[in-house]
Amino acid sequence: VHSSLCCMSTTYICFYFLFFFNDTATTEIYTLSLHDALPIYSSKSNIKISAATTKFADRAFSNYLKDEIIDEIYPILPEIDTIFQIITNIRKPIFSVDEFREEYLRYLDSGTLKEKNIDFVLNTLFNFSIIGNQHKTQSKIVFFKFQQTNMNFNMTERVILHRGLYKSLQII
């Protein structure tokens, strides 16, 4: 278990994040979605966490999560920084396999990437819970490996990016 504590010293407010890493093949990432928790308010202390504080913590957490993922996945997928750039270029948190494939092929054709097996890349991203699948007909239902460890990536469903990476990949 790895933990990170982020405190804002001027207001004595702390955010505590936990990450669980089993092994490099099935990394589990649990995140606190700060936007879902807004506004955070304590009636006992009359301290309200501002939107600016939440945005700061959200971005810091997203960058931290990205760095942790890169450290974990690099031995399997050494071109992870370039792959993250591909996802950034798509500019959407939910996209199709074809959109990823199209952008990936641009990088492959330019000689920027060496890994030719796009299915391997997508499956590896899924196994590390960087991406998940969105249900075909019920868009609110998503599938990530850390939630259902026996699942495999479904190439026919839309791809959803892990929410913890939105800020660091400049998706929103």
Side-chain angles (χ1 to χ4, degrees), residues 20-29 76 127-129 145-146 149:
F20 300 91
F21 297 102
N22 283 344
D23 59 47
T24 55
T26 57
T27 300
E28 297 181 8
I29 305 166
I76 297 166
N127 287 334
F128 278 82
S129 293
K145 185 76 169 192
F146 75 86
T149 57

Side-chain angles (χ1 to χ4, degrees), residues 29-169:
I29 305 166
Y30 293 92
T31 64
L32 170 63
S33 172
L34 294 174
H35 293 293
D36 295 338
L38 286 177
I40 301 171
Y41 181 77
S42 171
S43 61
K44 292 180 183 178
S45 62
N46 284 338
I47 297 173
K48 186 174 182 180
I49 299 173
S50 71
T53 301
T54 303
K55 286 179 183 179
F56 169 81
D58 199 19
R59 181 166 304 283
F61 172 71
S62 188
N63 289 330
Y64 176 81
L65 179 61
K66 179 183 170 196
D67 290 344
E68 288 293 315
I69 289 170
I70 289 170
D71 287 347
E72 289 290 317
I73 202 171
Y74 185 84
I76 297 166
L77 209 55
E79 298 171 308
I80 186 63
D81 283 320
T82 305
I83 293 164
F84 276 152
Q85 184 58 49
I86 290 167
I87 294 170
T88 298
N89 291 349
I90 295 171
R91 291 264 187 239
K92 297 188 286 189
I94 301 170
F95 50 90
S96 70
V97 169
D98 288 338
E99 287 174 294
F100 180 85
R101 193 176 305 274
E102 182 181 319
E103 189 66 25
Y104 193 93
L105 288 173
R106 270 193 271 253
Y107 277 73
L108 199 56
D109 291 343
S110 72
T112 308
L113 286 169
K114 294 178 184 163
E115 178 58 59
K116 291 178 172 60
N117 188 341
I118 298 172
D119 292 350
F120 168 76
V121 171
L122 287 167
N123 280 305
T124 302
L125 295 175
F126 180 80
N127 287 334
F128 278 82
S129 293
I130 296 166
I131 60 171
N133 284 124
Q134 183 183 47
H135 192 277
K136 286 182 182 182
T137 59
Q138 298 177 14
S139 62
K140 292 191 184 255
I141 298 175
V142 295
F143 307 101
F144 282 92
K145 185 76 169 192
F146 75 86
Q147 294 168 324
Q148 289 112 355
T149 57
N150 62 337
M151 287 196 69
N152 293 311
F153 185 67
N154 186 336
M155 295 285 185
T156 65
E157 292 179 332
R158 294 186 54 80
V159 178
I160 184 164
L161 181 65
H162 190 285
R163 183 177 171 84
L165 293 169
Y166 287 7
K167 297 285 185 183
S168 65
L169 297 181

